[in-house]
């Protein structure tokens, strides 16, 4: 496989995950946690947990987009997606209903987050510029 295309693919996955998670977190604050909790009224979720998830999504999304602490951030996002699937959307099913979405997007985001958490190499990331370590993503010498 062309190494440069592989790098660009990982970069695009990281941007997609970061942007999607960031927008979902921002929406929680924009529409208000009260409205978010109303849409989740079948599940009793403490308001403090909703705020925590919103903060994780906003900050985690930003971290992923700039490429800062990608493995740790992706791991945390994976846990949030796993909780979302098991606690909120699993009873609704994969595709959901006319009123609510299923867990298909959460599963896709979980898969991307899992890949980024396990891969450990993130091209075009700020951490490669600011933290020179053995874990930085470098192209092999040709």
């Amino acid at each position: 496989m062309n190494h440069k295309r592989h790098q660009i693919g990982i970069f695009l996955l990281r941007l997609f995950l970061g942007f999607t998670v960031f927008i979902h977190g921002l929406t929680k604050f924009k529409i208000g946690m009260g409205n978010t909790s109303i849409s989740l009224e079948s599940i009793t979720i403490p308001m403090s947990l909703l705020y925590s998830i919103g903060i994780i999504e906003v900050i985690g999304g930003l971290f992923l987009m700039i490429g800062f602490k990608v493995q740790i951030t992706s791991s945390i996002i994976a846990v949030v997606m796993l909780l979302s699937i098991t606690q909120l959307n699993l009873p609704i099913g994969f595709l959901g209903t006319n009123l609510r979405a299923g867990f298909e997007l959460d599963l896709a985001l979980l898969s991307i987050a899992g890949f980024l958490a396990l891969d450990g190499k993130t091209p075009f990331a700020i951490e490669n510029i600011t933290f020179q370590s053995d874990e930085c993503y470098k192209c092999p010498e040709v």
Side-chain angles (χ1 to χ4, degrees):
M1 176 189 272
N2 184 330
H3 187 70
K4 201 57 139 177
R5 286 190 302 194
H6 181 74
Q7 284 185 321
I8 292 170
I10 293 171
F11 173 67
L12 291 174
L13 284 174
R14 195 184 82 223
L15 280 182
F16 172 75
L17 178 64
F19 182 75
T20 304
V21 167
F22 174 77
I23 293 299
H24 276 262
L26 204 58
T27 302
K28 284 180 178 61
F29 290 104
K30 187 176 179 182
I31 66 171
M33 291 297 171
N35 290 337
T36 302
S37 64
I38 289 170
S39 68
L40 305 174
E41 62 190 26
S42 62
I43 306 291
T44 55
I45 296 177
M47 195 62 81
S48 60
L49 183 59
L50 284 176
Y51 279 109
S52 300
I53 290 171
I55 291 169
I56 288 169
E57 289 176 343
V58 169
I59 294 173
L62 287 173
F63 278 12
L64 288 173
M65 285 188 284
I66 65 170
F68 183 71
K69 300 294 182 188
V70 173
Q71 276 188 293
I72 295 168
T73 305
S74 296
S75 299
I76 294 168
I77 297 299
V79 169
V80 170
M81 291 298 106
L82 193 58
L83 288 172
S84 176
I85 291 169
T86 58
Q87 300 300 311
L88 299 174
N89 295 326
L90 195 60
I92 299 167
F94 185 74
L95 294 176
T97 66
N98 291 339
L99 302 175
R100 275 187 60 191
F103 62 88
E104 72 277 3
L105 177 62
D106 293 342
L107 187 60
L109 297 177
L110 172 63
S111 300
I112 295 169
F115 172 79
L116 292 173
L118 294 173
D119 186 47
K121 299 175 183 172
T122 178
F124 314 112
I126 196 167
E127 63 188 18
N128 295 343
I129 298 167
T130 57
F131 304 104
Q132 294 299 320
S133 71
D134 294 336
E135 295 183 19
C136 289
Y137 195 90
K138 300 193 186 296
C139 293
E141 296 296 323
V142 181

